[in-house]
Amino acid sequence: SDLSPDGRWVVTSGDQGMVRLWDASDGHQVASLTAGEGVPITRVVFSRDGSRVYALSVEGNVRAWDTQSRRRVVIFRTPGSPVVAMALHPNSRRLVTGSSSDRRVRLWDPDLPEKEVLVFPQLPGACYCVAFSPDGDRLAAASRSGTVVLWDAAPLRGDEDHSKWQLIYPGRVRSLAIAGNGLSIAVGGLAALSTTNPNAPLLLASRPGQSPTIMPGYVNVIFSLAYDSTGRFLAFSGPPP
């Protein structure tokens, strides 16, 4: 699910190939968008101005609809099915997807999707989630096995070198988020039973070269993470403790 930047709409998805748009003020459904008969939708996200909503299906199809007219304006397919990771750059001119099968992170121009802008080096395991920093200068990708890589995401033309650093999460990654300054990253998931505190599945890293911190736990698995606009506060969701 995702909340539009102006707070007006919420978009949700599910296993039956439907993307639903809801009025955030009263909770009633305002539109139902078909993304494919019975095809699970793995990610949905609004553009920065709220004019489009993007949906990624598990077989790798990316679709976008105009939120006013409800017309489909973009459709293309990314390789490496199943594909479960997608993020939109803050300027909405770049979109990134992550594949489970070939472990590749791919960068796209959603208006010119005939060929990838950039294909990043292969991850050690299946890509499960990707995220841009709020300023768009950093891109993070996490493999389900626990490796998290942070890349320089400026300017993302496809011809630049990408300095990067990586960290290891002690378990199965489910979510990640980058703070506004791009120098702090939070990783959540299901901590491995071999860790000293298996009920603390939240890891924070501040910058390259510094050891990450495993935070005190309130749940045994983290489903989603989000920083506030200042990067000072971090919210997470999970099952009841």
Side-chain angles (χ1 to χ4, degrees):
S1 62
D2 194 26
L3 178 69
S4 63
D6 61 3
R8 181 180 176 188
W9 291 314
V10 174
V11 63
T12 62
S13 63
D15 292 338
Q16 300 304 312
M18 299 300 296
V19 175
R20 292 181 169 86
L21 202 61
W22 307 82
D23 188 316
S25 64
D26 59 17
H28 81 270
Q29 183 176 317
V30 297
S32 181
L33 311 169
T34 303
E37 190 67 31
V39 178
I41 305 300
T42 57
R43 293 290 185 273
V44 285
V45 63
F46 280 102
S47 61
R48 187 172 189 175
D49 61 3
S51 64
R52 288 182 178 183
V53 59
Y54 289 83
L56 171 69
S57 62
V58 70
E59 85 275 19
N61 284 327
V62 177
R63 296 173 174 87
W65 293 266
D66 184 290
T67 53
Q68 293 294 334
S69 68
R70 316 287 196 259
R71 292 186 302 106
R72 193 174 65 198
V73 292
V74 171
I75 181 169
F76 66 94
R77 185 163 186 147
T78 177
S81 175
V83 184
V84 298
M86 179 178 72
L88 191 64
H89 191 279
N91 67 16
S92 299
R93 295 196 296 268
R94 292 289 186 264
L95 181 144
V96 66
T97 58
S99 165
S100 294
S101 59
D102 69 6
R103 299 175 287 157
R104 293 287 186 182
V105 175
R106 292 176 169 86
L107 185 75
W108 306 85
D109 180 338
D111 292 319
L112 298 169
E114 291 80 12
K115 182 176 175 55
E116 306 99 323
V117 175
L118 187 65
V119 180
F120 288 88
Q122 200 171 42
L123 294 177
C127 182
Y128 192 77
C129 45
V130 291
F132 282 104
S133 60
D135 60 9
D137 288 344
R138 299 289 185 271
L139 169 64
S143 67
R144 191 70 180 270
S145 59
T147 299
V148 181
V149 182
L150 188 71
W151 286 292
D152 179 0
L156 288 184
R157 292 192 305 261
D159 57 354
E160 69 275 14
D161 292 328
H162 291 271
S163 59
K164 64 179 182 181
W165 59 286
Q166 68 179 43
L167 57 97
I168 303 299
Y169 177 81
R172 295 173 68 86
V173 176
R174 294 289 300 268
S175 58
L176 60 84
I178 309 176
N181 59 14
L183 295 177
S184 180
I185 184 169
V187 186
L190 179 62
L193 294 179
S194 60
T195 60
T196 56
N197 186 355
N199 293 319
L202 176 60
L203 182 147
L204 296 178
S206 57
R207 56 182 54 86
Q210 287 195 350
S211 298
T213 301
I214 297 180
M215 302 294 290
Y218 301 95
V219 294
N220 58 13
V221 60
I222 290 177
F223 295 144
S224 59
L225 291 163
Y227 279 101
D228 77 324
S229 58
T230 68
R232 181 182 176 187
F233 297 103
L234 177 70
F236 65 85
S237 68

